[in-house]
Structure formats: structure tokens, C-alpha cells
């Protein structure tokens, strides 16, 4: 029994220079940190807002900018509390409950944020990494079903494993280096997406127009693009299946109201098609497929393309349809798309060679975006796996 107790407070992976340092100490967080929350000035008093004090709310833990700013009067006549740049911030309420951040600006916090200031025996970045690692455990234990809020008493009651301060700093440095790689990978992904979005604005004319900002040199003498309607270049129909047709490990994509298709054991279609959502996240989620698939009855399939390259249609449609869908949406419990909204949408069409050149460019960009996203996911998974080995199992 004693051996198990010792093993419990030793990590699976340890830097060589600390292997002989023995078992880690386990402490109650509240015994080794100072914590406080803030408050919110009265929203009805205009004299409290519009100053130069950043007002950090729980959705802004990782941001260097805030939506709201307080005046000195707003700070002094409320429970809002100032924190210094670099302070550990913990989200207690709402959709961001359990998130941990390092304040990127000096500013005031509201009641939904807990500021955590460790004593001299705890490395700040080590504590930040451990609290980030513990998020899932905390949410599952204290916010079952996603209901309720966290509190200072819950957070300060947590058990924290502590090696020597030197080992803490080594672990924090290792994980922080990974965070830098993750941040760079995320930035690259965002830049690729922004580049694609910018190219779409240049390579596709504005809705209803036939002139565009940029054109591949070999097509500059091909004349203006034609304006056609979607119903003139493809067939449109809704799916026939229900949610019950999906399975966990089917062979075929089953398109439903989600960014990624689920699976089905049957297929109703075998063709080149563009899929869009009929309600909910309308105008935002598109799929291009050339093969076997099934389709939920609240989705639309556009296929049997005539005079239009399928992938060109996919990129043009995904670039132009969101604004139209939002403007013309049939408002009910959720936004929804009607077939005629799609059928009468104008689409600008160049010659088939130019269509394919445009589609090829965006396909290449999508491959880069996919590879970048996969790398980001791999880095996150690697860090998570490393944390599981570098921190002792307490729960």
C-alpha cells in the first residue's frame, strides 16, 4: 500500500537531473496562493465606462484588447479589481468556465474571473500549465452537464502536485516552448485562411458583377464573365434520409448539420455534388464530394453540373452564398434556406479553363490549410500526452 502511495505522486516522465529528488509534495492550492475576484460597475452609469482602464471579462483571458474600458470612477465605485499584466486569470462562469489565461494587459476584472497569485515556492508558469491540464477534470467534477458555476472555494480546494522550484521551472519552460510552437502553427493556419479569403475577393467578381479585381494573365483577353442562375447550371434537391440513418463506423459520409460529416452504412447518391445546410448554420457549412454519400433531409445537394466545373461552383458558392442566405433567410425558430433561394442565386461564370485554374488554386490552398490544421492538432495532442506523463496522477 505504501509503495502505491509513493508511485501515485511520482510522474511517469521526469528530466534526468531530477530523478533522484524523490516524491512530489501535494498541497492545497489555497494554502500557497492568494486569490481574488472582481466586480462590474453599474451599466446604467455612463460615467463608469469609456475610460482608459481595460475591463477584462472571462471571454478575454487570452486577448491583449478588451471590448470595454472603465473610468477611475467606475473602478472606485464598484467591486472591480485591478490585476497586473502577467497575472494568472481563471474563468469561473459561463461558456469559458475552467479556462486559464495569463493577463496580457494590466486592467480590471469582473466577478467571473479569479486572479491567482502564487507565493514564492510556486513557479507561476508551472501553476498555469497545471491548471490548464486540470481543466477537463474540474469541469467534469464540478460542472456536470455544463450547468452551474465554479467558485473561488472550489478552485482553492484543488490539490496541486509540487516538485522543487527548479523542477517546476524546467517543466514550465518545456511546456511553454510547446505553446510557442502551437501559437506559431495557429498563426500560420489563420494566415492561410486569410490569404484564401482575400484571393476569393480578388478572383471572384462581386455578386451580380462580371468584372473582377485580378485575373490570371492567360485569361485577360477572354472577355467578361457570364451571369447565370444556379438552377441553370445544376440540379438541386434535398436529401431523403433521417438522423437515424447515421452510424458510428459506417462506410459512407452522411451529411448533416455539422462541419464534418458523420457516417452511414448506406448511400443514396454517387456523384459530384456540393452540399449545403437547410437550417441552423445556413450559409456557413459546405461540402464538396465526388463519390458515394448519403444526405439528411434538411440538406441540399447540387449536382449534374452543366457548363460549370464542380469545384469551381463549390468555391464560388461558398464565397457568395452566406450573405445572401442571411439576407433572405426564412426566419422561424432557426434560420432556414428555401430551395428557391439557392435556385435563383446568380453565379458568375468564365470559360471552363479559367474555372478550373481558379478551382485548382483554391484546392491547393485547401490542402495547405488541411496540412497546417493537422500539424496544429498534432502539436496539441503531443503537448497533452506530455502533460499526462510529466504530472503525477492525483485524481
Amino acid at each position: 500500500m505504501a509503495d502505491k502511495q509513493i508511485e501515485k505522486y511520482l510522474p511517469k516522465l521526469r528530466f534526468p537531473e531530477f530523478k533522484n529528488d524523490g516524491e512530489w509534495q501535494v498541497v492545497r492550492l489555497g494554502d500557497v496562493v492568494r486569490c481574488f475576484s472582481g466586480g462590474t460597475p453599474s451599466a446604467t452609469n455612463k460615467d463608469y465606462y469609456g475610460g482608459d482602464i481595460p475591463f477584462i471579462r472571462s471571454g478575454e483571458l487570452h486577448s491583449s484588447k478588451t471590448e470595454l474600458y472603465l473610468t477611475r470612477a467606475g473602478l472606485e465605485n464598484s467591486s472591480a479589481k485591478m490585476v497586473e499584466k502577467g497575472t494568472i486569470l481563471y474563468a469561473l462562469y459561463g461558456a469559458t468556465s475552467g479556462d486559464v489565461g495569463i493577463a496580457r494587459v494590466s486592467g480590471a476584472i469582473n466577478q467571473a474571473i479569479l486572479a491567482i497569485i502564487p507565493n514564492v515556492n510556486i513557479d507561476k508558469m508551472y501553476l498555469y500549465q497545471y491548471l490548464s491540464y486540470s481543466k477537463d477534470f474540474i469541469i467534469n467534477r464540478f460542472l456536470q452537464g455544463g450547468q452551474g458555476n465554479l467558485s473561488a472555494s472550489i478552485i482553492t480546494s484543488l490539490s496541486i502536485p509540487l516538485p522543487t522550484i527548479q523542477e517546476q521551472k524546467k517543466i514550465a519552460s518545456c511546456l511553454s516552448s510547446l505553446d510557442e510552437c502551437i501559437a506559431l502553427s495557429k498563426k500560420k493556419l489563420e494566415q492561410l485562411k486569410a490569404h484564401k479569403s482575400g484571393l476569393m475577393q480578388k478572383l471572384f467578381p462581386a455578386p451580380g458583377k462580371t468584372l473582377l479585381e485580378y485575373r490570371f494573365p492567360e485569361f485577360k483577353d477572354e472577355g467578361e464573365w457570364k451571369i447565370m442562375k444556379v438552377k441553370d447550371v445544376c440540379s438541386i434537391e434535398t436529401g431523403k434520409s433521417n438522423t437515424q440513418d447515421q452510424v458510428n463506423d459506417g462506410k459512407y459520409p452522411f451529411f448533416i448539420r455539422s462541419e464534418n460529416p458523420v457516417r452511414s452504412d448506406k448511400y443514396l447518391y454517387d456523384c459530384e455534388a456540393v452540399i449545403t445546410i437547410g437550417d441552423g448554420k445556413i450559409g456557413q457549412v459546405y461540402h464538396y464530394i465526388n463519390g458515394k454519400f448519403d444526405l439528411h433531409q434538411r440538406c441540399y445537394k447540387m449536382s449534374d453540373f452543366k457548363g460549370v466545373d464542380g469545384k469551381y461552383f463549390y468555391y464560388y458558392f461558398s464565397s457568395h452564398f452566406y450573405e445572401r442566405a442571411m439576407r433572405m433567410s426564412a426566419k422561424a425558430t432557426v434560420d432556414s434556406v428555401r430551395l428557391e433561394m439557392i435556385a435563383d442565386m446568380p453565379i458568375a461564370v468564365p470559360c471552363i479553363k479559367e474555372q478550373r485554374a481558379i478551382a485548382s488554386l483554391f484546392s491547393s490552398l485547401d490542402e495547405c490549410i488541411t496540412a497546417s490544421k493537422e500539424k496544429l492538432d498534432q502539436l496539441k495532442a503531443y503537448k497533452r500526452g506530455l502533460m499526462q506523463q510529466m504530472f503525477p496522477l492525483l485524481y
Side-chain angles (χ1 to χ4, degrees), residues 95-167:
T96 59
S97 294
D99 277 1
V100 190
I102 300 293
R104 299 181 65 180
V105 293
S106 295
I109 59 173
N110 67 6
Q111 64 276 10
I113 295 178
L114 184 70
I116 302 175
I117 302 173
N119 67 23
V120 294
N121 295 316
I122 302 183
D123 180 77
K124 179 180 69 177
M125 294 308 297
Y126 169 85
L127 180 58
Y128 161 75
Q129 295 289 354
Y130 186 78
L131 289 173
S132 299
Y133 169 69
S134 302
K135 177 182 176 179
D136 290 343
F137 162 76
I138 294 169
I139 295 298
N140 292 334
R141 179 173 178 181
F142 299 106
L143 295 180
Q144 295 181 3
Q147 302 298 314
N149 298 319
L150 297 172
S151 66
S153 60
I154 288 174
I155 303 307
T156 55
S157 70
L158 295 173
S159 295
I160 304 294
L162 289 183
T164 63
I165 192 70
Q166 292 81 9
E167 191 168 0

Side-chain angles (χ1 to χ4, degrees), residues 21 24 38 43 48 61 84 89 111 144 151 153 167 184 209 263 279 286 341 387:
D21 281 4
W24 288 23
Y48 293 167
L61 295 189
E84 295 296 324
L89 303 179
Q111 64 276 10
Q144 295 181 3
S151 66
S153 60
E167 191 168 0
L184 287 172
K209 305 295 182 180
R263 311 300 295 180
D279 63 5
Y286 302 94
M341 289 170 54
M387 293 172 102

Side-chain angles (χ1 to χ4, degrees), residues 186-204 213-214 216 315 319 358 360-369 372:
K186 184 177 180 181
K187 183 178 180 180
K188 179 181 177 181
L189 177 59
E190 291 170 348
Q191 289 173 337
L192 283 169
K193 289 180 176 179
H195 181 55
K196 178 185 172 183
S197 179
L199 280 177
M200 281 185 159
Q201 294 177 12
K202 292 182 178 181
L203 290 172
F204 292 131
E213 184 177 339
Y214 177 83
F216 292 121
Y315 288 113
S319 172
I358 292 170
S360 177
L361 172 64
F362 286 123
S363 292
S364 297
L365 267 175
D366 277 345
E367 289 176 6
C368 293
I369 288 170
S372 183

Side-chain angles (χ1 to χ4, degrees), residues 226-267:
K226 295 185 294 183
I227 298 293
M228 306 179 73
K229 291 187 176 181
V230 168
K231 64 184 177 183
D232 297 326
V233 299
C234 67
S235 64
I236 312 165
E237 61 179 291
T238 58
K240 301 178 176 63
S241 298
N242 291 306
T243 306
Q244 290 82 359
D245 294 315
Q246 72 183 74
V247 295
N248 292 327
D249 56 354
K251 298 178 181 178
Y252 308 106
F254 179 53
F255 294 104
I256 193 171
R257 290 173 292 175
S258 63
E259 185 173 352
N260 298 308
V262 290
R263 311 300 295 180
S264 174
D265 267 338
K266 68 177 183 179
Y267 69 91

